[in-house]
Amino acid sequence: MTENHDGKQRGGVPGRQRKRFPGISSRAYEHPADRSALVALRKLTGFDTVFKALSGLLPERSLRLLYLSDSVRVSDAQFSHLNDMLRDACYILDLDRVPPMYVTQNPVPNAMCVGLDEPVIVLTTGLVELLDEEEMRAVIGHEVGHALSGHAVYRTVLLFLTNVALKVAWIPLGNVAVMAIVTALREWFRKSELSADRAGLLVGQDLRASMRGLMKLAGGNHLHEMNVDAFLAQADEYEKAGDLRDSVLKILNVLPRSHPFTTVRAAELKRWSESRDHQRLMDGHYPKRSEDKDASVSDSFRESAGHYAQTVRDSKDPLFKLVGDIAGGAGDLAGDLGGRLRTVFGGAPKEPGKDTGGSREGGSEKDAGGKPGEGPEA
């Protein structure tokens, strides 16, 4: 490719060299909880058919017409710098089709990826005005990551069900059933946001820019008044501060949200950027889309369970520490109970230097467990 006068290559590929990930599967960057849910859904027979049938009920066509009629479609002629970033993100993550992207008038900084048959990316003017080029590159990569993972489908369903919940709120128990599904989808979607943050880092390949973008979402366009390290320190303080009452309040605060808190997202992304998984990915070792059909559901669930267990063990949150202590205590109790049962049914354990059940008759030495020279298993 030849270069334009502004140092960018034609086709939207920037002059600064970034690594590309041909054929990359979304499993490469998905959060374990997000990945296990998606792998299971993709394995369900008829899953695609059911969601296509839902498309008649969902307001997707209405959304497309709304953005087409009342927003600005990004192209070479409109918001061309955003169009370059979008094409670049799709090039890096090897997305087959470049999804349409719109800028809509809204002072609240936000971005989303929705749609069943074809994902659509929407940026608000508040976000476009807030972020610099590298920060915006990470956000667009974040939304392209949603598209590659198929998150747009579930996000559309979540929006639809949230709407339904509002309409049936007056029906006794009707709202309870719908809100149970909405709450579960929100929990999944919060994890999917962590996945998309990772995709944004793969596209931008600038951790500080990703951190700055999250920091601006929390504190506005006042970078000279903010500090990334101090912002990350807030996440650490949030995790470990308070007592059990604060832990419960944290859960209640996050339940109605579709996104995790910004300090938590920043800390999660930094941890992943320093992980062996991220390093291997940057070195070119990652799962391919061609292998998705062979992905194991049980392996994904095991990885998800392992991640949550490790989170509980490592967490400084008072409630998580209590859960870990209880789990550890239950393990100790089970071990102690097992030892007592073995003592009852297999004989008392030997004390050091003493024979506890052996008979020396006939010149043989046996313990109560029946094996020569061995005491009961600990």
Side-chain angles (χ1 to χ4, degrees):
M1 288 187 179
T2 57
E3 288 196 353
N4 296 323
H5 68 277
D6 59 358
K8 293 184 179 178
Q9 295 173 334
R10 292 193 181 101
V13 181
R16 180 166 85 79
Q17 198 67 28
R18 289 179 175 85
K19 291 189 178 181
R20 186 173 179 252
F21 307 99
I24 189 172
S25 167
S26 59
R27 291 180 293 120
Y29 58 80
E30 282 163 355
H31 187 279
D34 174 24
R35 189 186 314 140
S36 62
L38 288 178
V39 168
L41 286 170
R42 289 164 183 160
K43 288 284 184 180
L44 284 177
T45 304
F47 173 74
D48 290 339
T49 306
V50 170
F51 268 93
K52 287 197 180 295
L54 264 178
S55 64
L57 300 173
L58 299 175
E60 181 180 13
R61 294 177 69 87
S62 175
L63 281 174
R64 289 180 185 281
L65 288 171
L66 180 63
Y67 292 129
L68 190 62
S69 63
D70 205 33
S71 301
V72 176
R73 183 161 57 189
V74 172
S75 65
D76 284 333
Q78 302 184 117
F79 290 105
S80 60
H81 69 294
L82 296 179
N83 194 46
D84 282 350
M85 292 184 206
L86 174 62
R87 291 160 68 180
D88 181 38
C90 293
Y91 175 77
I92 288 173
L93 295 180
D94 199 16
L95 201 66
D96 293 335
R97 294 179 62 186
V98 178
M101 186 162 75
Y102 293 88
V103 175
T104 190
Q105 173 62 33
N106 190 329
V108 178
N110 197 13
M112 62 179 176
C113 182
V114 294
L116 286 177
D117 294 324
E118 183 184 4
V120 174
I121 295 172
V122 181
L123 309 175
T124 66
T125 51
L127 188 74
V128 173
E129 292 161 7
L130 178 66
L131 304 182
D132 68 24
E133 181 176 342
E134 292 304 310
E135 295 156 7
M136 180 58 75
R137 192 180 297 279
V139 167
I140 291 175
H142 173 113
E143 299 306 327
V144 170
H146 276 315
L148 181 57
S149 288
H151 290 159
V153 172
Y154 315 114
R155 175 63 183 266
T156 306
V157 171
L158 176 59
L159 290 172
F160 173 68
L161 288 177
T162 303
N163 231 8
V164 169
L166 293 174
K167 290 178 181 177
V168 301
W170 60 275
I171 302 174
L173 298 181
N175 190 45
V176 174
V178 176
M179 283 310 298
I181 300 171
V182 169
T183 300
L185 272 173
R186 277 181 181 152
E187 168 58 18
W188 160 75
F189 198 79
R190 284 191 291 271
K191 296 300 183 289
S192 77
E193 286 298 310
L194 301 179
S195 298
D197 283 343
R198 296 174 178 185
L201 180 59
L202 292 180
V203 167
Q205 298 174 25
D206 184 344
L207 179 63
R208 301 296 284 189
S210 293
M211 295 289 107
R212 290 198 312 270
L214 289 169
M215 195 165 58
K216 282 184 175 181
L217 288 176
N221 194 14
H222 303 282
L223 272 182
H224 63 289
E225 298 285 357
M226 296 186 284
N227 179 279
V228 170
D229 294 326
F231 188 64
L232 290 170
Q234 284 182 229
D236 187 59
E237 182 180 345
Y238 170 79
E239 184 180 2
K240 67 184 180 184
D243 53 22
L244 290 177
R245 291 169 300 179
D246 295 302
S247 297
V248 173
L249 289 173
K250 290 176 190 177
I251 294 170
L252 294 175
N253 283 342
V254 82
L255 276 179
R257 295 175 59 93
S258 62
H259 289 55
F261 294 115
T262 48
T263 58
V264 174
R265 289 171 64 184
E268 280 274 353
L269 186 60
K270 186 170 187 295
R271 273 193 290 269
W272 185 70
S273 73
E274 295 167 349
S275 70
R276 184 171 176 271
D277 287 343
H278 177 256
Q279 188 55 55
R280 281 179 54 79
L281 202 161
M282 295 304 293
D283 290 340
H285 305 292
Y286 52 83
K288 302 292 178 66
R289 256 168 271 167
S290 57
E291 304 160 353
D292 280 351
K293 62 183 182 299
D294 302 319
S296 166
V297 177
S298 57
D299 286 349
S300 295
F301 276 118
R302 274 196 296 271
E303 186 176 352
S304 180
H307 169 82
Y308 276 118
Q310 188 65 45
T311 299
V312 170
R313 284 193 296 270
D314 295 344
S315 178
K316 300 165 189 173
D317 182 89
L319 181 58
F320 274 26
K321 286 175 70 176
L322 177 62
V323 170
D325 290 344
I326 290 173
D332 293 342
L333 179 62
D336 183 57
L337 181 59
R340 288 176 182 273
L341 289 173
R342 284 192 292 270
T343 299
V344 171
F345 293 105
K350 289 196 292 186
E351 293 179 20
K354 291 186 180 180
D355 178 42
T356 57
S359 169
R360 295 188 182 273
E361 294 177 8
S364 67
E365 182 178 332
K366 275 194 177 185
D367 64 68
K371 287 188 178 181
E374 290 182 6
E377 250 182 87

